[in-house]
Amino acid sequence: MDAADLAAQLAGLTEAEAQKKVTGLLSQEISRILKLPASDVDPHKPLTALGMDSLLVVELRRAAVTRR
């Protein structure tokens, strides 16, 4: 998803709805990177508690800012 796609998905949402949407998208990426079921990704836990190291965080950052 590129920035325009994300902006379109967030258009018209309240701040709380937009935050929920972005949290869900990031949780999906974390799930993919860690090869975990999405239900195992708790957005309230630190990334290190989920098993992410610095290299995996770089992959998450790249996924968050580039088109897949």
Side-chain angles (χ1 to χ4, degrees), residues 44-67:
H44 302 290
K45 283 188 176 180
L47 295 176
T48 54
L50 296 171
M52 291 195 83
D53 61 18
S54 59
L55 293 176
L56 294 174
V57 171
V58 169
E59 185 175 345
L60 177 61
R61 181 178 185 275
R62 186 185 59 126
V65 297
T66 62
R67 184 177 181 168

Side-chain angles (χ1 to χ4, degrees), residues 27-36 59 63 68:
S27 293
Q28 288 174 353
E29 281 300 318
I30 293 167
S31 169
R32 182 191 62 77
I33 291 167
L34 295 176
K35 297 175 178 54
L36 292 173
E59 185 175 345
R68 282 224 166 269

Side-chain angles (χ1 to χ4, degrees), residues 9-22:
Q9 287 188 31
L10 299 178
L13 297 180
T14 66
E15 185 176 338
E17 291 168 335
Q19 182 176 14
K20 184 176 179 179
K21 180 69 173 177
V22 171

